[in-house]
Amino acid sequence: MKPISPLSININDDDFLSWTGADTYTRARLFEFALEHANDPVIITTTQLDLPGPHIVYVNRAFTLQCGYSTEEAIGQTPRILQGPLTDRAEIVRMRSELLQGNPFVGETINYRKDGSPYFMEWSVNGLYDDKGVLHFYVAVQRDVSASKAYEQRIQEQARELAHVNQNLAIANQDLAESNQNLATANQELAKVNARLVELALTDSLTGLANHRAYQSRLKEELDRAKRYQTPLSLLSIDVDRFKSYNDVHGHPEGDVALQQIAELLKAHTRSSDCVARPGGEEFAVILPNTDHEGALCHAENLRAQVEAYNWPNRPLTISIGTSTTSPADNFTCPLIQLADEALYRSKSTGRNRVS
């Protein structure tokens, strides 16, 4: 379709207000000019909704720029050429239902350009009726909202990240805001970075558990608390059985997945007051505050059984566990880590997949 030239029409202001001064041809040219220079793609189709229809009878210049089809390529085609794998079928069905009922339609879905690239769009479809109420065409107006969708996704990602900011960050931000309102924005960003560094320093990057440093610090804290309140404290030392051969056969990526799953099982079956850690490699540890040795054995056996019962995708995996306990009875002199490691060695040397 050739570009439409600007029109020279001699109509006074009163005529424009009433539209009585423009003949049918001039008004048609005005409307066509407006459509061709609209920013949003416009498609006019026939009214046959069943295949092979509807057929495109008109597209404006914005359509060709957005979708990549020339006017000649689009005319006679069905709008289904714009649909693809991610097109929302439910929206298409809803549109058909609304149009069959004589209602206008407004919706949102993903369409595809001629080169196959997808884009989010909002679109409306209205029937074009004559004075007698006979439907002749459907007029669809599209709007590319990919940029706003991408912005919404970024906002959602940022919201998820902010949800993980810990209580210390909130307190720090509050103190900074009260102490110096002028520097609140800059200090808030700095506090976020510092909190993230602290988290990285104390967290195992693979499993999200406490790392070796955090584990040692937490064990000292719990031992001090046990002495203060005269309550027992137990420790589980855990090792994944034959994990080296698992890595050798299935590869390190699969090994990492297995370690992550074991970490999830350990977290899911421990108390909120317990501390699950990964000191290193295939070794895990669980600190059990206010737990005597009998309770530690029961807890360890439950964890062992959970890992054994899990439906592992490659081959069964099991864990061996060693336990140790210190209490007022030994005046808190028991070397927890050493005794737990010795018990773990007994579990490994007597057949694995057991608790000692």
mmCIF file with all atom_site columns, all heavy atoms in Angstrom, residues 314-334:
data_model
loop_
_atom_site.group_PDB
_atom_site.id
_atom_site.type_symbol
_atom_site.label_atom_id
_atom_site.label_alt_id
_atom_site.label_comp_id
_atom_site.label_asym_id
_atom_site.label_entity_id
_atom_site.label_seq_id
_atom_site.pdbx_PDB_ins_code
_atom_site.Cartn_x
_atom_site.Cartn_y
_atom_site.Cartn_z
_atom_site.occupancy
_atom_site.B_iso_or_equiv
_atom_site.pdbx_formal_charge
_atom_site.auth_seq_id
_atom_site.auth_comp_id
_atom_site.auth_asym_id
_atom_site.auth_atom_id
_atom_site.pdbx_PDB_model_num
ATOM 1   N N   . ASN A 1 314 ? 19.863 -42.050 40.068 1.00 0.00 ? 314 ASN A N   1
ATOM 2   C CA  . ASN A 1 314 ? 20.948 -42.807 39.437 1.00 0.00 ? 314 ASN A CA  1
ATOM 3   C C   . ASN A 1 314 ? 21.194 -44.149 40.129 1.00 0.00 ? 314 ASN A C   1
ATOM 4   O O   . ASN A 1 314 ? 21.138 -45.202 39.499 1.00 0.00 ? 314 ASN A O   1
ATOM 5   C CB  . ASN A 1 314 ? 22.225 -41.976 39.431 1.00 0.00 ? 314 ASN A CB  1
ATOM 6   C CG  . ASN A 1 314 ? 22.085 -40.735 38.559 1.00 0.00 ? 314 ASN A CG  1
ATOM 7   O OD1 . ASN A 1 314 ? 21.574 -40.818 37.453 1.00 0.00 ? 314 ASN A OD1 1
ATOM 8   N ND2 . ASN A 1 314 ? 22.490 -39.581 39.062 1.00 0.00 ? 314 ASN A ND2 1
ATOM 9   N N   . ARG A 1 315 ? 21.476 -44.100 41.405 1.00 0.00 ? 315 ARG A N   1
ATOM 10  C CA  . ARG A 1 315 ? 21.616 -45.312 42.203 1.00 0.00 ? 315 ARG A CA  1
ATOM 11  C C   . ARG A 1 315 ? 21.354 -44.935 43.647 1.00 0.00 ? 315 ARG A C   1
ATOM 12  O O   . ARG A 1 315 ? 21.455 -43.755 44.024 1.00 0.00 ? 315 ARG A O   1
ATOM 13  C CB  . ARG A 1 315 ? 23.008 -45.931 42.048 1.00 0.00 ? 315 ARG A CB  1
ATOM 14  C CG  . ARG A 1 315 ? 24.151 -45.150 42.673 1.00 0.00 ? 315 ARG A CG  1
ATOM 15  C CD  . ARG A 1 315 ? 25.356 -46.068 42.839 1.00 0.00 ? 315 ARG A CD  1
ATOM 16  N NE  . ARG A 1 315 ? 26.559 -45.372 43.280 1.00 0.00 ? 315 ARG A NE  1
ATOM 17  C CZ  . ARG A 1 315 ? 26.810 -45.026 44.538 1.00 0.00 ? 315 ARG A CZ  1
ATOM 18  N NH1 . ARG A 1 315 ? 25.915 -45.265 45.498 1.00 0.00 ? 315 ARG A NH1 1
ATOM 19  N NH2 . ARG A 1 315 ? 27.950 -44.431 44.853 1.00 0.00 ? 315 ARG A NH2 1
ATOM 20  N N   . PRO A 1 316 ? 20.999 -45.911 44.495 1.00 0.00 ? 316 PRO A N   1
ATOM 21  C CA  . PRO A 1 316 ? 20.717 -45.589 45.894 1.00 0.00 ? 316 PRO A CA  1
ATOM 22  C C   . PRO A 1 316 ? 21.912 -44.931 46.577 1.00 0.00 ? 316 PRO A C   1
ATOM 23  O O   . PRO A 1 316 ? 23.070 -45.296 46.334 1.00 0.00 ? 316 PRO A O   1
ATOM 24  C CB  . PRO A 1 316 ? 20.381 -46.953 46.513 1.00 0.00 ? 316 PRO A CB  1
ATOM 25  C CG  . PRO A 1 316 ? 19.928 -47.784 45.365 1.00 0.00 ? 316 PRO A CG  1
ATOM 26  C CD  . PRO A 1 316 ? 20.745 -47.336 44.190 1.00 0.00 ? 316 PRO A CD  1
ATOM 27  N N   . LEU A 1 317 ? 21.629 -43.960 47.412 1.00 0.00 ? 317 LEU A N   1
ATOM 28  C CA  . LEU A 1 317 ? 22.645 -43.311 48.237 1.00 0.00 ? 317 LEU A CA  1
ATOM 29  C C   . LEU A 1 317 ? 22.271 -43.483 49.699 1.00 0.00 ? 317 LEU A C   1
ATOM 30  O O   . LEU A 1 317 ? 21.092 -43.443 50.063 1.00 0.00 ? 317 LEU A O   1
ATOM 31  C CB  . LEU A 1 317 ? 22.747 -41.824 47.897 1.00 0.00 ? 317 LEU A CB  1
ATOM 32  C CG  . LEU A 1 317 ? 23.486 -41.460 46.616 1.00 0.00 ? 317 LEU A CG  1
ATOM 33  C CD1 . LEU A 1 317 ? 23.352 -39.976 46.334 1.00 0.00 ? 317 LEU A CD1 1
ATOM 34  C CD2 . LEU A 1 317 ? 24.966 -41.829 46.707 1.00 0.00 ? 317 LEU A CD2 1
ATOM 35  N N   . THR A 1 318 ? 23.275 -43.665 50.527 1.00 0.00 ? 318 THR A N   1
ATOM 36  C CA  . THR A 1 318 ? 23.057 -43.805 51.965 1.00 0.00 ? 318 THR A CA  1
ATOM 37  C C   . THR A 1 318 ? 24.071 -42.943 52.700 1.00 0.00 ? 318 THR A C   1
ATOM 38  O O   . THR A 1 318 ? 25.054 -42.457 52.117 1.00 0.00 ? 318 THR A O   1
ATOM 39  C CB  . THR A 1 318 ? 23.205 -45.270 52.420 1.00 0.00 ? 318 THR A CB  1
ATOM 40  O OG1 . THR A 1 318 ? 24.526 -45.742 52.092 1.00 0.00 ? 318 THR A OG1 1
ATOM 41  C CG2 . THR A 1 318 ? 22.175 -46.168 51.746 1.00 0.00 ? 318 THR A CG2 1
ATOM 42  N N   . ILE A 1 319 ? 23.838 -42.769 53.995 1.00 0.00 ? 319 ILE A N   1
ATOM 43  C CA  . ILE A 1 319 ? 24.769 -42.014 54.825 1.00 0.00 ? 319 ILE A CA  1
ATOM 44  C C   . ILE A 1 319 ? 25.118 -42.819 56.063 1.00 0.00 ? 319 ILE A C   1
ATOM 45  O O   . ILE A 1 319 ? 24.337 -43.660 56.526 1.00 0.00 ? 319 ILE A O   1
ATOM 46  C CB  . ILE A 1 319 ? 24.168 -40.647 55.255 1.00 0.00 ? 319 ILE A CB  1
ATOM 47  C CG1 . ILE A 1 319 ? 22.834 -40.851 55.992 1.00 0.00 ? 319 ILE A CG1 1
ATOM 48  C CG2 . ILE A 1 319 ? 24.001 -39.732 54.059 1.00 0.00 ? 319 ILE A CG2 1
ATOM 49  C CD1 . ILE A 1 319 ? 22.248 -39.566 56.551 1.00 0.00 ? 319 ILE A CD1 1
ATOM 50  N N   . SER A 1 320 ? 26.310 -42.593 56.560 1.00 0.00 ? 320 SER A N   1
ATOM 51  C CA  . SER A 1 320 ? 26.743 -43.137 57.842 1.00 0.00 ? 320 SER A CA  1
ATOM 52  C C   . SER A 1 320 ? 26.835 -41.980 58.828 1.00 0.00 ? 320 SER A C   1
ATOM 53  O O   . SER A 1 320 ? 27.231 -40.865 58.458 1.00 0.00 ? 320 SER A O   1
ATOM 54  C CB  . SER A 1 320 ? 28.096 -43.830 57.719 1.00 0.00 ? 320 SER A CB  1
ATOM 55  O OG  . SER A 1 320 ? 28.002 -44.962 56.874 1.00 0.00 ? 320 SER A OG  1
ATOM 56  N N   . ILE A 1 321 ? 26.468 -42.242 60.084 1.00 0.00 ? 321 ILE A N   1
ATOM 57  C CA  . ILE A 1 321 ? 26.399 -41.168 61.076 1.00 0.00 ? 321 ILE A CA  1
ATOM 58  C C   . ILE A 1 321 ? 27.102 -41.589 62.362 1.00 0.00 ? 321 ILE A C   1
ATOM 59  O O   . ILE A 1 321 ? 26.940 -42.720 62.835 1.00 0.00 ? 321 ILE A O   1
ATOM 60  C CB  . ILE A 1 321 ? 24.932 -40.800 61.401 1.00 0.00 ? 321 ILE A CB  1
ATOM 61  C CG1 . ILE A 1 321 ? 24.158 -40.463 60.123 1.00 0.00 ? 321 ILE A CG1 1
ATOM 62  C CG2 . ILE A 1 321 ? 24.868 -39.635 62.374 1.00 0.00 ? 321 ILE A CG2 1
ATOM 63  C CD1 . ILE A 1 321 ? 22.696 -40.147 60.352 1.00 0.00 ? 321 ILE A CD1 1
ATOM 64  N N   . GLY A 1 322 ? 27.875 -40.661 62.898 1.00 0.00 ? 322 GLY A N   1
ATOM 65  C CA  . GLY A 1 322 ? 28.471 -40.828 64.219 1.00 0.00 ? 322 GLY A CA  1
ATOM 66  C C   . GLY A 1 322 ? 27.896 -39.800 65.172 1.00 0.00 ? 322 GLY A C   1
ATOM 67  O O   . GLY A 1 322 ? 27.675 -38.652 64.784 1.00 0.00 ? 322 GLY A O   1
ATOM 68  N N   . THR A 1 323 ? 27.638 -40.189 66.403 1.00 0.00 ? 323 THR A N   1
ATOM 69  C CA  . THR A 1 323 ? 27.022 -39.283 67.370 1.00 0.00 ? 323 THR A CA  1
ATOM 70  C C   . THR A 1 323 ? 27.925 -39.087 68.573 1.00 0.00 ? 323 THR A C   1
ATOM 71  O O   . THR A 1 323 ? 28.732 -39.960 68.925 1.00 0.00 ? 323 THR A O   1
ATOM 72  C CB  . THR A 1 323 ? 25.667 -39.836 67.849 1.00 0.00 ? 323 THR A CB  1
ATOM 73  O OG1 . THR A 1 323 ? 25.901 -41.033 68.613 1.00 0.00 ? 323 THR A OG1 1
ATOM 74  C CG2 . THR A 1 323 ? 24.764 -40.164 66.678 1.00 0.00 ? 323 THR A CG2 1
ATOM 75  N N   . SER A 1 324 ? 27.775 -37.944 69.198 1.00 0.00 ? 324 SER A N   1
ATOM 76  C CA  . SER A 1 324 ? 28.458 -37.671 70.469 1.00 0.00 ? 324 SER A CA  1
ATOM 77  C C   . SER A 1 324 ? 27.602 -36.702 71.272 1.00 0.00 ? 324 SER A C   1
ATOM 78  O O   . SER A 1 324 ? 26.826 -35.940 70.702 1.00 0.00 ? 324 SER A O   1
ATOM 79  C CB  . SER A 1 324 ? 29.857 -37.089 70.235 1.00 0.00 ? 324 SER A CB  1
ATOM 80  O OG  . SER A 1 324 ? 29.780 -35.834 69.586 1.00 0.00 ? 324 SER A OG  1
ATOM 81  N N   . THR A 1 325 ? 27.761 -36.758 72.600 1.00 0.00 ? 325 THR A N   1
ATOM 82  C CA  . THR A 1 325 ? 26.961 -35.916 73.487 1.00 0.00 ? 325 THR A CA  1
ATOM 83  C C   . THR A 1 325 ? 27.819 -35.450 74.660 1.00 0.00 ? 325 THR A C   1
ATOM 84  O O   . THR A 1 325 ? 28.646 -36.208 75.178 1.00 0.00 ? 325 THR A O   1
ATOM 85  C CB  . THR A 1 325 ? 25.740 -36.683 74.031 1.00 0.00 ? 325 THR A CB  1
ATOM 86  O OG1 . THR A 1 325 ? 24.954 -37.146 72.937 1.00 0.00 ? 325 THR A OG1 1
ATOM 87  C CG2 . THR A 1 325 ? 24.888 -35.786 74.917 1.00 0.00 ? 325 THR A CG2 1
ATOM 88  N N   . THR A 1 326 ? 27.622 -34.200 75.041 1.00 0.00 ? 326 THR A N   1
ATOM 89  C CA  . THR A 1 326 ? 28.243 -33.687 76.260 1.00 0.00 ? 326 THR A CA  1
ATOM 90  C C   . THR A 1 326 ? 27.128 -33.117 77.138 1.00 0.00 ? 326 THR A C   1
ATOM 91  O O   . THR A 1 326 ? 26.096 -32.676 76.641 1.00 0.00 ? 326 THR A O   1
ATOM 92  C CB  . THR A 1 326 ? 29.296 -32.612 75.945 1.00 0.00 ? 326 THR A CB  1
ATOM 93  O OG1 . THR A 1 326 ? 30.003 -32.283 77.145 1.00 0.00 ? 326 THR A OG1 1
ATOM 94  C CG2 . THR A 1 326 ? 28.661 -31.353 75.373 1.00 0.00 ? 326 THR A CG2 1
ATOM 95  N N   . SER A 1 327 ? 27.348 -33.184 78.453 1.00 0.00 ? 327 SER A N   1
ATOM 96  C CA  . SER A 1 327 ? 26.285 -32.790 79.370 1.00 0.00 ? 327 SER A CA  1
ATOM 97  C C   . SER A 1 327 ? 26.886 -32.445 80.725 1.00 0.00 ? 327 SER A C   1
ATOM 98  O O   . SER A 1 327 ? 28.098 -32.573 80.941 1.00 0.00 ? 327 SER A O   1
ATOM 99  C CB  . SER A 1 327 ? 25.290 -33.946 79.515 1.00 0.00 ? 327 SER A CB  1
ATOM 100 O OG  . SER A 1 327 ? 25.903 -35.029 80.197 1.00 0.00 ? 327 SER A OG  1
ATOM 101 N N   . PRO A 1 328 ? 26.042 -32.014 81.672 1.00 0.00 ? 328 PRO A N   1
ATOM 102 C CA  . PRO A 1 328 ? 26.554 -31.746 83.020 1.00 0.00 ? 328 PRO A CA  1
ATOM 103 C C   . PRO A 1 328 ? 27.199 -32.972 83.652 1.00 0.00 ? 328 PRO A C   1
ATOM 104 O O   . PRO A 1 328 ? 28.082 -32.849 84.513 1.00 0.00 ? 328 PRO A O   1
ATOM 105 C CB  . PRO A 1 328 ? 25.305 -31.320 83.791 1.00 0.00 ? 328 PRO A CB  1
ATOM 106 C CG  . PRO A 1 328 ? 24.391 -30.753 82.744 1.00 0.00 ? 328 PRO A CG  1
ATOM 107 C CD  . PRO A 1 328 ? 24.637 -31.589 81.542 1.00 0.00 ? 328 PRO A CD  1
ATOM 108 N N   . ALA A 1 329 ? 26.783 -34.159 83.199 1.00 0.00 ? 329 ALA A N   1
ATOM 109 C CA  . ALA A 1 329 ? 27.342 -35.379 83.783 1.00 0.00 ? 329 ALA A CA  1
ATOM 110 C C   . ALA A 1 329 ? 28.848 -35.483 83.562 1.00 0.00 ? 329 ALA A C   1
ATOM 111 O O   . ALA A 1 329 ? 29.578 -36.015 84.416 1.00 0.00 ? 329 ALA A O   1
ATOM 112 C CB  . ALA A 1 329 ? 26.637 -36.604 83.207 1.00 0.00 ? 329 ALA A CB  1
ATOM 113 N N   . ASP A 1 330 ? 29.350 -35.024 82.440 1.00 0.00 ? 330 ASP A N   1
ATOM 114 C CA  . ASP A 1 330 ? 30.807 -35.054 82.192 1.00 0.00 ? 330 ASP A CA  1
ATOM 115 C C   . ASP A 1 330 ? 31.411 -33.664 82.325 1.00 0.00 ? 330 ASP A C   1
ATOM 116 O O   . ASP A 1 330 ? 32.534 -33.425 81.866 1.00 0.00 ? 330 ASP A O   1
ATOM 117 C CB  . ASP A 1 330 ? 31.102 -35.643 80.812 1.00 0.00 ? 330 ASP A CB  1
ATOM 118 C CG  . ASP A 1 330 ? 30.484 -34.851 79.677 1.00 0.00 ? 330 ASP A CG  1
ATOM 119 O OD1 . ASP A 1 330 ? 30.404 -33.620 79.785 1.00 0.00 ? 330 ASP A OD1 1
ATOM 120 O OD2 . ASP A 1 330 ? 30.082 -35.459 78.686 1.00 0.00 ? 330 ASP A OD2 1
ATOM 121 N N   . ASN A 1 331 ? 30.638 -32.756 82.929 1.00 0.00 ? 331 ASN A N   1
ATOM 122 C CA  . ASN A 1 331 ? 31.107 -31.386 83.144 1.00 0.00 ? 331 ASN A CA  1
ATOM 123 C C   . ASN A 1 331 ? 31.456 -30.704 81.824 1.00 0.00 ? 331 ASN A C   1
ATOM 124 O O   . ASN A 1 331 ? 32.332 -29.844 81.777 1.00 0.00 ? 331 ASN A O   1
ATOM 125 C CB  . ASN A 1 331 ? 32.306 -31.365 84.100 1.00 0.00 ? 331 ASN A CB  1
ATOM 126 C CG  . ASN A 1 331 ? 32.503 -29.995 84.721 1.00 0.00 ? 331 ASN A CG  1
ATOM 127 O OD1 . ASN A 1 331 ? 31.562 -29.199 84.838 1.00 0.00 ? 331 ASN A OD1 1
ATOM 128 N ND2 . ASN A 1 331 ? 33.729 -29.695 85.120 1.00 0.00 ? 331 ASN A ND2 1
ATOM 129 N N   . PHE A 1 332 ? 30.779 -31.125 80.780 1.00 0.00 ? 332 PHE A N   1
ATOM 130 C CA  . PHE A 1 332 ? 30.963 -30.543 79.439 1.00 0.00 ? 332 PHE A CA  1
ATOM 131 C C   . PHE A 1 332 ? 32.410 -30.615 78.967 1.00 0.00 ? 332 PHE A C   1
ATOM 132 O O   . PHE A 1 332 ? 32.914 -29.721 78.292 1.00 0.00 ? 332 PHE A O   1
ATOM 133 C CB  . PHE A 1 332 ? 30.469 -29.084 79.406 1.00 0.00 ? 332 PHE A CB  1
ATOM 134 C CG  . PHE A 1 332 ? 28.999 -28.946 79.681 1.00 0.00 ? 332 PHE A CG  1
ATOM 135 C CD1 . PHE A 1 332 ? 28.549 -28.549 80.933 1.00 0.00 ? 332 PHE A CD1 1
ATOM 136 C CD2 . PHE A 1 332 ? 28.065 -29.247 78.705 1.00 0.00 ? 332 PHE A CD2 1
ATOM 137 C CE1 . PHE A 1 332 ? 27.195 -28.433 81.191 1.00 0.00 ? 332 PHE A CE1 1
ATOM 138 C CE2 . PHE A 1 332 ? 26.711 -29.134 78.959 1.00 0.00 ? 332 PHE A CE2 1
ATOM 139 C CZ  . PHE A 1 332 ? 26.261 -28.723 80.201 1.00 0.00 ? 332 PHE A CZ  1
ATOM 140 N N   . THR A 1 333 ? 33.066 -31.713 79.297 1.00 0.00 ? 333 THR A N   1
ATOM 141 C CA  . THR A 1 333 ? 34.464 -31.899 78.877 1.00 0.00 ? 333 THR A CA  1
ATOM 142 C C   . THR A 1 333 ? 34.576 -32.809 77.662 1.00 0.00 ? 333 THR A C   1
ATOM 143 O O   . THR A 1 333 ? 35.680 -33.020 77.160 1.00 0.00 ? 333 THR A O   1
ATOM 144 C CB  . THR A 1 333 ? 35.285 -32.482 80.037 1.00 0.00 ? 333 THR A CB  1
ATOM 145 O OG1 . THR A 1 333 ? 34.709 -33.736 80.432 1.00 0.00 ? 333 THR A OG1 1
ATOM 146 C CG2 . THR A 1 333 ? 35.316 -31.525 81.216 1.00 0.00 ? 333 THR A CG2 1
ATOM 147 N N   . CYS A 1 334 ? 33.474 -33.379 77.230 1.00 0.00 ? 334 CYS A N   1
ATOM 148 C CA  . CYS A 1 334 ? 33.506 -34.315 76.099 1.00 0.00 ? 334 CYS A CA  1
ATOM 149 C C   . CYS A 1 334 ? 33.913 -33.583 74.812 1.00 0.00 ? 334 CYS A C   1
ATOM 150 O O   . CYS A 1 334 ? 33.301 -32.577 74.445 1.00 0.00 ? 334 CYS A O   1
ATOM 151 C CB  . CYS A 1 334 ? 32.135 -34.956 75.926 1.00 0.00 ? 334 CYS A CB  1
ATOM 152 S SG  . CYS A 1 334 ? 31.967 -35.913 74.402 1.00 0.00 ? 334 CYS A SG  1
#
